[in-house]
Amino acid sequence: MESLVDGMKVMVKVFRRECSRVFHSERTTIHGADHMLMVLQLAMAEVNKKHGGEFKVALSDVLMAWKHLLLDKLHLPPPSFARLENYDLILETYKSFLRRSNTVDLVDIFSMYTQLRDVDNDPEEPISPVHLFEFLANSEVSPLPELSVPSTPSSQSKSRISQVKAAVRRVFCSYLTLLVNSKNDMALALSLDVPSRCLGRQAFTDIKHAAHKSNTSLFLAVTSFVRVLHLGGKGYAPAESDPLRKHVKGLSDFVHFLDNLEEILGEITDPSACGSKLVAAIRAALVKGRGSGDAVLAAADETAQELKERICQLHHIQKQNGANGSMIGISPARPKAYAINHATAIGGRDTVKVLMALLDEEALSPPCLNKADLLSEDQPIVSGGEANSFLALFRSPEVSTGASPEPLKNRIQSRRDLLKPKAKSGIIRSQFACTYKDEAAAAQPCVGVPQQQPGSYLPTPGAQRQNRSSCG
């Protein structure tokens, strides 16, 4: 495994040294095995949606297409099973996403190595295509638990903790990626609502539509909207009907946080100190409001410490390479209009080199063994808001058509039942019931009391005494 990783590092080093020959941007970032699989899943879901299906794809189909994709790009013999329907469209959608995001995958790095390598100094083939395929295609799907060996709470807890740590590490790397390559749509999707900014699926869908309308990246669509809203004035402000206006607070918080990171990148010239402060700022945002026993807090602390140490090590390595004259040129960090006089236009140059080296190492990390955990929509919640997987974010929410699911006849009958007068309820009596009129007693005759017939009368007590005296 070490020789395999060393061979891939040689390929990446040659790519960084000669990438200006094949790309216009020096900040092209690399997708590792896990990100390649996530992009493929997204491409397959988009193709299914275009052909009248749902925006989803089965795990088995993704794994089949994954093997076909790797074997095709590595020019190896195809597998025994047939290709999926619309495979060519899936491949084109996959490549389009990479081009739009200013990214390449590890197979592209391998394919360009022969063209970019120095014949005199670089090895002819640092890694074979078969070994690269075995490295990338390493997959495993969790089997169903055996009845005789039930899963214990401790084993489930360990699995969940590892998933949380992987998700937290992706968030750290996504923020650092946006500082290097702002066109990376995957990095924006994984960091937009972490920590929670109330920017869920609906907000992401509105951003996606705005980016498609203006033919820009997701990041540029967000920053353009916020800049125009805050600095453009009434004549340039977005229309009141702009869907992004519903998410002004969350989008402003996101852009403001990235502005703070870019300010750190431009003002601190020492890459070790700058990288440590960037990681600390991301960690502070993630753990805000979390208790001591929170899994995200523990994962953020551990990840931040690992990244800080690795940034310092990479800076030391690059200083040694610089002394030997083997440094590669990287364009400076994006300058701020109000900070150019403070030399921030070139302040982050060395730090960007270190960050790119760090992100390249992350791309060379071994792939996730359990693809079901990686591609599942049941992702751990690290933002305090809703848990959205990468695929779920790109799935547009269902829009209500305004039609009632209940037939008109049933709705009319329900309305009639509601307006129908109800039966009179019994009278509620208190303990002083004698003070109320006894309607029931008045309606019914008392037993043993003679009833007065029409046209007759009962003698009064005075008349009865006169009758008795006259008889005596």
Side-chain angles (χ1 to χ4, degrees):
M1 177 62 73
E2 292 183 359
S3 60
L4 179 65
V5 175
D6 291 340
M8 291 191 293
K9 286 182 178 180
V10 171
M11 294 191 310
V12 172
K13 180 180 178 181
V14 172
F15 170 75
R16 288 299 175 200
R17 188 185 66 209
E18 307 291 342
C19 66
S20 59
R21 293 166 50 186
V22 290
F23 289 100
H24 297 294
S25 173
E26 295 175 332
R27 298 192 178 196
T28 302
T29 47
I30 303 173
H31 282 309
D34 290 344
H35 285 191
M36 291 171 63
L37 193 57
M38 293 165 67
V39 174
L40 178 63
Q41 182 192 30
L42 174 63
M44 296 180 68
E46 289 183 352
V47 171
N48 289 343
K49 181 67 174 180
K50 289 180 181 178
H51 287 75
E54 297 182 5
F55 193 88
K56 60 173 59 176
V57 59
L59 175 62
S60 58
D61 292 341
V62 176
L63 297 181
M64 289 174 59
W66 176 236
K67 290 188 176 181
H68 273 292
L69 174 72
L70 296 179
L71 293 174
D72 283 350
K73 297 187 70 173
L74 291 171
H75 304 289
L76 294 175
S80 57
F81 48 86
R83 286 184 176 183
L84 293 174
E85 186 180 4
N86 300 322
Y87 172 78
D88 294 335
L89 292 177
I90 294 172
L91 183 59
E92 180 57 33
T93 306
Y94 174 87
K95 293 180 179 179
S96 176
F97 184 90
L98 297 186
R99 288 193 300 267
R100 188 170 63 249
S101 300
N102 189 28
T103 56
V104 293
D105 60 25
L106 288 177
V107 182
D108 295 330
I109 300 295
F110 174 82
S111 302
M112 290 184 289
Y113 176 78
T114 304
Q115 174 188 355
L116 300 178
R117 77 182 185 93
D118 186 349
V119 179
D120 298 329
N121 299 322
D122 298 325
E124 182 177 358
E125 190 179 70
I127 180 176
S128 68
V130 176
H131 290 161
L132 182 58
F133 170 78
E134 292 175 352
F135 173 80
L136 296 175
N138 186 12
S139 62
E140 174 186 338
V141 179
S142 294
L144 294 176
E146 299 181 5
L147 297 178
S148 58
V149 186
S151 59
T152 61
S154 60
S155 62
Q156 295 177 358
S157 176
K158 290 180 181 179
S159 175
R160 200 62 177 173
I161 289 175
S162 63
Q163 293 181 29
V164 170
K165 184 178 179 180
V168 168
R169 194 175 188 89
R170 281 196 291 267
V171 172
F172 271 91
C173 293
S174 296
Y175 275 115
L176 298 178
T177 299
L178 289 177
L179 296 176
V180 175
N181 176 20
S182 61
K183 293 183 179 180
N184 193 321
D185 289 347
M186 176 178 285
L188 183 133
L190 295 176
S191 60
L192 180 66
D193 198 33
V194 184
S196 178
R197 301 183 178 96
C198 299
L199 298 175
R201 285 175 54 193
Q202 184 60 57
F204 188 82
T205 300
D206 294 337
I207 296 171
K208 186 174 60 174
H209 291 166
H212 179 74
K213 183 178 180 180
S214 57
N215 195 24
T216 60
S217 65
L218 299 179
F219 179 84
L220 188 57
V222 172
T223 53
S224 299
F225 171 79
V226 174
R227 305 290 188 220
V228 170
L229 186 66
H230 291 171
L231 305 176
K234 291 185 178 180
Y236 297 92
E240 294 294 335
S241 59
D242 193 325
L244 293 181
R245 278 189 172 272
K246 298 180 294 185
H247 319 290
V248 169
K249 185 179 184 304
L251 296 177
S252 300
D253 291 344
F254 176 73
V255 173
H256 179 68
F257 181 69
L258 282 175
D259 285 345
N260 291 338
L261 296 182
E262 290 186 357
E263 191 171 344
I264 295 172
L265 180 64
E267 291 183 351
I268 302 178
T269 57
D270 181 66
S272 296
C274 182
S276 298
K277 192 167 183 179
L278 288 172
V279 172
I282 299 172
R283 180 249 173 214
L286 286 178
V287 304
K288 184 178 181 181
R290 297 186 179 273
S292 58
D294 192 274
V296 175
L297 173 61
D301 289 340
E302 184 178 354
T303 303
Q305 185 63 30
E306 293 175 357
L307 293 178
K308 288 179 182 179
E309 293 177 357
R310 189 54 187 161
I311 286 174
C312 294
Q313 294 172 1
L314 291 173
H315 178 215
H316 181 69
I317 293 173
Q318 290 192 358
K319 284 175 63 177
Q320 292 180 339
N321 293 338
N324 299 330
S326 59
M327 290 289 289
I328 58 175
I330 300 295
S331 59
R334 287 193 301 274
K336 290 180 175 296
Y338 60 83
I340 289 180
N341 294 333
H342 299 282
T344 56
I346 60 173
R349 182 186 184 94
D350 293 334
T351 305
V352 169
K353 297 177 185 178
V354 175
L355 293 181
M356 292 189 70
L358 175 69
L359 296 173
D360 289 344
E361 286 190 352
E362 291 294 323
L364 299 179
S365 301
C368 176
L369 293 179
N370 195 324
K371 307 305 182 186
D373 288 342
L374 176 67
L375 303 179
S376 172
E377 296 193 15
D378 182 22
Q379 295 295 323
I381 300 177
V382 298
S383 64
E386 54 182 321
N388 281 322
S389 65
F390 177 68
L391 180 65
L393 278 176
F394 279 85
R395 180 189 299 123
S396 301
E398 296 182 1
V399 180
S400 176
T401 59
S404 174
E406 188 178 10
L408 178 61
K409 179 180 178 181
N410 295 350
R411 284 183 283 147
I412 293 176
Q413 185 61 39
S414 300
R415 183 63 178 173
R416 286 178 176 176
D417 295 341
L418 182 63
L419 297 178
K420 185 183 298 183
K422 298 181 180 179
K424 189 175 182 180
S425 59
I427 301 174
I428 301 176
R429 301 178 183 275
S430 69
Q431 59 181 340
F432 305 104
C434 59
T435 61
Y436 296 93
K437 182 179 180 181
D438 194 347
E439 297 180 358
Q444 297 181 0
C446 296
V447 179
V449 178
Q451 299 296 317
Q452 183 178 2
Q453 300 296 329
S456 64
Y457 65 94
L458 292 176
T460 62
Q464 291 179 359
R465 286 195 297 269
Q466 289 180 357
N467 293 337
R468 286 197 295 269
S469 61
S470 61
C471 293

